[in-house]
Structures are given as C-alpha cells and as structure tokens.
Amino acid sequence: MSYDFLFQKANRYYVEGALEQAEQLCRIILETAPDNPDVLNMLGLIAQAKGFPNEAIDCFYKALKTTTDKLPLYFSLAVSLASSGRLHEAMAAYQKVLTIKPDLKEAHNNLGGLYERLDRPQEALAEYQTALDIDKNYLEAAVNIASLNQDKNKLQQLAQNNPNTSLPLYYLARLEAKDQNTKGALEHIKEAVVKADAAAEVFLLAGEIFLQAGNKTAAADAFRHTLSFNPKSVPALINLGVYENDEKLLKEALDIEPDNAEAHADYANLLYKQKRTLEALEEYRKAVVLRPDLPELSNNLGLILKDIGEYEQALDLFLDAFMKNRKIKEFSINLAETLVLWHQKNPEQATKIADDWARVAPDNSFAVHTSNAFHGISVPENDIKYAEELFDAFAPSYEKTMKDIKYAALNKIKELNISFRGNVLDLGCGTGLAGKNFHNAQNTFTGVDISQNMINLAYTTASYDKLIKQDIITYLQQNNLKYDIILLIDVLDYVYDFESVVKNANKASLVFTIENAAAEIVSLSPTASGRYQHNPAYIEKILLNAGYTSIKKYPLVLRQENGEDIAGTLFFTE
C-alpha cells in the first residue's frame, strides 16, 4: 500500500472528523518517512483539533524544516502558539505569513487579536482595519473593531445586516456582561445560541452569563453544549464540574491545564465538602502558589487550616487576604474568629495581633471589637457597628448555623408553653425564627434588628406585622410604646446595658436568654469572642429593682461551641 494512498485515506478521515483513524494512518507513514511535511502538518492539525496545541506546535516546527510551502504551516503554527498562550511567538509566525502573503486578511485580523490580548489596542485596531481594507465585507474584522471600540450601536447594525451569524450578537452579549447589564447580555446571547454557526465560544459565554443571572441549570446546559463542540474547554469543564460536584471533570481540566489556579481551587472546594481535608489543603496550596495575588485563595486556604487547628498559619493567610482587599467582610470575620480561637491557646500573641490589626485598620469594626474584647473593654458605638456588619454578613447562613450549633432556646420556650397574646416585641428578631414559631391569631408581632439583611429575611416569613431596622436600645429609648411581651432571644450576649432594656420595657413581660458567666463574675463580663456573659443573680437583681416580682429561671444548654456545651439561663417574667 503506497504512502500516497494512505495519506489520501488519512486526509479523508480528517475531513470526516475521524481524528483517531487519521492520526493512526499518519503515524504509520511516519515510521518510514519521519520527515514527511504533509504528514507532519496533518498530525499538527489533528492535535490542534483535539485541543493539544503544544503537540501541534512540535509537528508544525518539524514540518517547516523540510518544506518549501511554508505559508499554511506558519499560519497553523501561529494559531497553535496563540492557543497555548505563547503570544509573542505567535505574532512572529503571523509576521512570517505576511511576508509571504501581505494581503492575507485572516493573518492581519488574528494579529490584531494578539495585540488586543497584549493590551495594545491601537496596534490591534490598525491590524483589524487593514484586514477590513483588504475585504470591506470581512465581518470578523468589522466586529472586532466595533467590539474594541465598545460600539454597541455598530454591533447591533452588524447583527441586523448579518442575521444568519452569531458573531455580532456574541460580542454584544460580551460587552453587556462586562458592563453588568445581565438583562441585555441574556437577550443577545439567547439569540446567538440559536444561530446555525453557534460554536463552543458562544455556548461558553452563554453559560457564564446564565451564572451571572443566577440560573445555574441553564448555565450547566450551556457548558454541556460547549463541551459537545470542544471537549477540552477548561472553563466549561471547571464550571460543569462545580455544578455537578464531578471530581472527574475537574481533574480532566487540570490534566489539560495543570497550572490553572481556578481549577485547583474548585477541586479543593469539592474535596473539602467531601471532608477530604488534607487533599483539599494540598490543592489550595497549589492554587495560592499559582495566584498569590488572589485574596480569595488565601482566605479559603486559611479556612481549612483553621478547621484543623493550625491557627497561626490561618491567621497569616486571613491577614494576607484582608490586606489585599479590606472591603470583603468575610475576611475580617474569619480573621476575628480565628483570633478568638488562638486567644484560647496563646492570649498574649493573639492580643498583639489583634492590637496591630486595629492600629492598621482603625475603621474596621471587627478589628477594633476584637482588640477591645481581648482587653475586656466595651465601646458601645463600635459594638453597634460591629453587630450590624456581623449580622448583615451572617444573615444568609444564620438559620443553618443555628441548627448546626444546636441552638435550644426556642425549643425550651415551646416546652414551657408560654402564651404569646397581645402585642409582642421581638428585639433582635434576626431572620424571624421567633415570629415563625410564636405568631398567631391572638397576637401582633413587631420585629426590631440592627441588620437590614436580617430584616429582609424576616419579611419573607410573613410572621411580622411590623419590622424596623434599628439598634434595640435606641428603639426602646425613642419609642415609649406599650407591649405585652418583649422577646430577646440570643440578644443580650451582644448588649452591655441590660438595665436600659428593663427601664424602657414599661413593665412588659420579658422572655430572654443569657449566657452564664463564671461564678466569680458578679455582674457581666465581655468574653474573648466579643460577647457578654451575665451572672443570673445580677440579672435577677435588676429585674427586682425594676418592680418585677414573678421571675422564673430555667437553666439550659444554649448551644454548642467548638464541641462544648454553652450554659445559659432562660428568664420569663410575668
């Protein structure tokens, strides 16, 4: 069987998309003709089609050594070099193409794309314009010019004039997504994906826009379409792997791009959820090494180290994340929580770190609150700001956390069968758990909370007749209102001035919890965690002085913290 016959058969397989069969025949020919440029070129094109640009590059370079027809090889080489991120080498290859054929519009257009990727917009525009000058109907160059100029009107015009292609719509959607106009981006990408020429890039962008819109199901479907066109699309593999919790897809993405920090981080998240902590730790470390500039990676690595008790290392990472982006509250919360844990083991060092943090970030309520707590100091103004910011961040996960820590106060109140009649004031109402449990036809419920995010969630329960965002002490002082019952469930842990609460309660029945202080504490004491513990006898004395005569106390385990029971007391006055 002649080489020519085998090569024609391989070429036929390649055209039909049977890449494995084409490659097999090419390798048979190479066994006896290892320098055949046509076969090497085809192997390069096959590797390119299969998503292996580095293999393709090797084949094209070998072919260039033995052929005189260099133009198509240089062009294919440039495509593969660009695909593998070797942008300057790709530019040199396109320049060689243009020395052979100066009027090749595709080379000018692609060269413009490389300049754009290198953030050299003027040179990019010049190359795009040269391509358009060569062919005034060259749609891709026209679209690239409009996109680079962020000219949405021109892209709209190109879309109307070219109704059978997705290209202008794709770039319109990309611009709208960049401008955070999700509605506009969705409109254009939905139109683009139904076009006959919609390819992997279009579906990939569709998936990203659906994610931006919060439609994870539609996003996953778009990523599946992406992979049907390009099984080696790393962003699609990562996103679909995250959505489906599919370890295989994430590992496949890493096989293709071992240095992809996002893939390492998402794989680490998956391992962490599966409680494969040490494996997750290793993946996060790889991600941080690859992208030390991303504070989210330092934060996530810190969370794992915190969970396994490596508090010093965790603190370094949380501080690193905080210094890189001080606006993200999660970093401050994680730093504060870990300092409290470290304070239990090494109070001197934890206090020094907290004090240093407060010095460099005096406007950060978490830093100031933590430092104050370690010194046993209360600053009401900062405490209020701290509580607002803490519970705004805490709101989405509040109810799940209450279940996780086995918070028991509501069940204890139910067990006592307290009758909630008349006007009920729920101070520190949170997400509305008390309203959901105790609002009935015999009462009206008013909720007050310092956190707007908590108030927003309480609204969704439809259990409150009125909801007010305000500090509870301020609300009581400014509103001389008569309530039949006032609830403070898991609230006094954050309130220094219980006497003000009682003074402004207007003799309403009170139902509230405290965290018990140690026996040697005669009144109240701030803890290293920033909460207050109260002596039950001190609380009872305040109630008696205010004229309450029927005071009932019920000891209970409030919750679990780091595996330990937290002792508390439920008070009920009539």
Side-chain angles (χ1 to χ4, degrees):
M1 190 177 293
S2 70
Y3 294 152
D4 186 53
F5 179 79
L6 283 176
F7 183 72
Q8 288 179 12
K9 191 172 182 180
N11 188 59
R12 195 159 55 247
Y13 278 135
Y14 174 74
V15 172
E16 293 170 355
L19 301 182
E20 298 297 335
Q21 293 92 324
E23 182 178 356
Q24 187 177 13
L25 289 177
C26 286
R27 296 205 179 279
I28 290 173
I29 299 172
L30 283 186
E31 288 178 5
T32 52
D35 297 326
N36 187 304
D38 295 327
V39 177
L40 288 167
N41 178 51
M42 180 167 288
L43 278 172
L45 293 172
I46 291 168
Q48 201 175 72
K50 291 169 70 174
F52 298 117
N54 290 326
E55 290 183 22
I57 291 165
D58 288 342
C59 290
F60 294 137
Y61 271 130
K62 288 178 183 176
L64 281 166
K65 293 177 181 178
T66 58
T67 185
T68 56
D69 186 15
K70 296 184 182 292
L71 189 147
L73 280 168
Y74 275 125
F75 192 95
S76 296
L77 174 63
V79 170
S80 291
L81 287 166
S83 189
S84 67
R86 295 157 66 174
L87 304 188
H88 289 93
E89 289 179 75
M91 290 175 68
Y94 278 126
Q95 294 289 3
K96 289 186 179 295
V97 169
L98 291 171
T99 59
I100 300 168
K101 188 171 175 55
D103 62 345
L104 188 63
K105 63 183 181 182
E106 291 84 1
H108 285 289
N109 183 70
N110 292 1
L111 189 54
L114 291 174
Y115 280 125
E116 192 170 350
R117 288 172 67 180
L118 290 166
D119 197 25
R120 294 160 65 175
Q122 295 308 314
E123 291 161 288
L125 280 172
E127 292 296 336
Y128 291 146
Q129 189 59 56
T130 299
L132 195 59
D133 290 342
I134 293 168
D135 180 357
K136 65 179 182 178
N137 296 316
Y138 189 20
L139 178 62
E140 191 170 344
V143 166
N144 284 333
I145 292 170
S147 175
L148 188 54
N149 288 328
Q150 300 185 47
D151 189 342
K152 295 178 184 177
N153 291 330
K154 180 63 175 178
L155 286 170
Q156 288 274 21
Q157 181 185 341
L158 290 168
Q160 291 170 4
N161 294 341
N162 299 272
N164 297 320
T165 180
S166 62
L167 193 62
L169 294 166
Y170 167 83
Y171 279 96
L172 264 172
R174 198 166 75 166
L175 283 179
E176 297 292 10
K178 181 182 176 183
D179 292 341
Q180 300 297 310
N181 179 10
T182 305
K183 183 179 178 182
L186 279 171
E187 177 186 336
H188 295 309
I189 203 64
K190 284 179 179 178
E191 192 177 348
V193 297
V194 300
K195 301 292 182 181
D197 65 343
E201 294 81 0
V202 176
F203 283 102
L204 180 61
L205 180 63
E208 292 167 350
I209 291 171
F210 281 126
L211 279 182
Q212 188 176 320
N215 190 339
K216 293 183 179 179
T217 303
D221 189 53
F223 293 133
R224 290 188 196 97
H225 274 90
T226 304
L227 293 172
S228 71
F229 285 99
N230 178 12
K232 302 295 182 181
S233 171
V234 170
L237 287 167
I238 293 173
N239 281 294
L240 195 58
V242 170
Y243 175 77
E244 296 183 343
N245 290 314
D246 191 328
E247 182 177 352
K248 180 182 175 183
L249 291 175
L250 291 170
K251 290 179 76 172
E252 189 175 345
L254 285 168
D255 286 340
I256 299 168
E257 291 185 12
D259 292 338
N260 189 302
E262 183 186 357
H264 282 291
D266 286 327
Y267 186 32
N269 288 338
L270 178 63
L271 293 168
Y272 188 48
K273 284 191 286 186
Q274 294 177 352
K275 301 191 184 304
R276 295 158 62 184
T277 306
L278 294 179
E279 291 175 84
L281 192 61
E282 183 61 28
E283 290 299 322
Y284 268 130
R285 281 180 169 144
K286 290 177 182 176
V288 170
V289 168
L290 289 165
R291 291 297 306 274
D293 58 308
L294 294 181
E296 295 83 0
L297 296 179
S298 293
N299 177 70
N300 291 351
L301 178 55
L303 285 172
I304 296 182
L305 289 166
K306 171 176 171 271
D307 282 357
I308 63 175
E310 296 290 345
Y311 301 134
E312 281 188 280
Q313 292 183 53
L315 286 170
D316 286 342
L317 288 158
F318 291 140
L319 279 167
D320 177 69
F322 172 79
M323 296 305 291
K324 286 173 180 170
N325 190 337
R326 300 187 181 199
K327 294 180 180 179
I328 298 181
K329 292 289 186 290
E330 181 187 353
F331 301 163
S332 293
I333 292 171
N334 291 337
L335 181 50
E337 288 179 348
T338 309
L339 277 168
V340 170
L341 292 169
W342 185 230
H343 188 271
Q344 296 170 8
K345 293 190 172 186
N346 192 327
E348 184 178 344
Q349 188 177 11
T351 301
K352 183 181 184 307
I353 295 170
D355 291 347
D356 289 344
W357 182 24
R359 272 193 291 273
V360 299
D363 296 330
N364 185 287
S365 67
F366 297 93
V368 174
H369 185 81
T370 305
S371 176
N372 287 343
F374 290 172
H375 290 285
I377 299 170
S378 174
V379 180
E381 296 82 2
N382 187 76
D383 289 350
I384 291 171
K385 182 183 176 186
Y386 162 79
E388 179 177 7
E389 294 185 341
L390 175 68
F391 287 104
D392 271 344
F394 192 24
S397 61
Y398 178 78
E399 294 190 18
K400 179 182 182 303
T401 301
M402 290 297 101
K403 290 179 182 178
D404 290 344
I405 65 175
K406 300 179 181 178
Y407 193 76
L410 291 175
N411 288 335
K412 186 66 175 179
I413 294 171
K414 288 180 183 177
E415 179 187 311
L416 296 172
N417 200 25
I418 296 172
S419 177
F420 289 93
R421 294 178 181 272
N423 294 322
V424 181
L425 175 61
D426 185 7
L427 292 175
C429 64
T431 59
L433 289 174
K436 282 196 287 188
N437 281 277
F438 305 123
H439 189 203
N440 56 50
Q442 285 76 47
N443 62 43
T444 61
F445 252 73
T446 298
V448 179
D449 202 282
I450 190 65
S451 164
Q452 185 62 54
N453 289 349
M454 289 286 195
I455 290 287
N456 293 343
L457 289 170
Y459 268 115
T460 67
T461 69
S463 300
Y464 290 83
D465 301 278
K466 186 185 292 185
L467 283 162
I468 299 155
K469 180 196 177 298
Q470 197 168 23
D471 167 55
I472 64 169
I473 301 293
T474 304
Y475 177 78
L476 287 171
Q477 290 172 341
Q478 293 180 355
N479 296 275
N480 186 27
L481 301 174
K482 178 64 179 173
Y483 289 96
D484 297 293
I485 300 176
I486 296 178
L487 281 166
L488 299 103
I489 308 301
D490 193 31
V491 172
L492 295 181
D493 295 359
Y494 300 91
V495 175
Y496 177 80
D497 192 3
F498 179 63
E499 289 188 74
S500 286
V501 173
V502 176
K503 177 182 176 182
N504 292 282
N506 289 328
K507 297 293 177 26
S509 291
L510 300 173
V511 180
F512 62 91
T513 59
I514 62 166
E515 182 178 330
N516 293 347
E520 64 270 17
I521 304 297
V522 297
S523 56
L524 78 162
S525 174
T527 67
S529 65
R531 293 194 292 266
Y532 293 101
Q533 294 176 334
H534 296 78
N535 185 320
Y538 164 75
I539 294 294
E540 188 171 6
K541 181 180 177 181
I542 290 174
L543 293 170
L544 288 168
N545 289 341
Y548 287 94
T549 56
S550 176
I551 303 170
K552 298 176 182 178
K553 297 183 293 183
Y554 305 93
L556 76 161
V557 173
L558 287 173
R559 61 184 179 274
Q560 289 192 332
E561 221 171 76
N562 300 317
E564 296 183 0
D565 291 342
I566 302 299
T569 304
L570 172 68
F571 281 82
F572 174 38
T573 70
E574 293 183 284

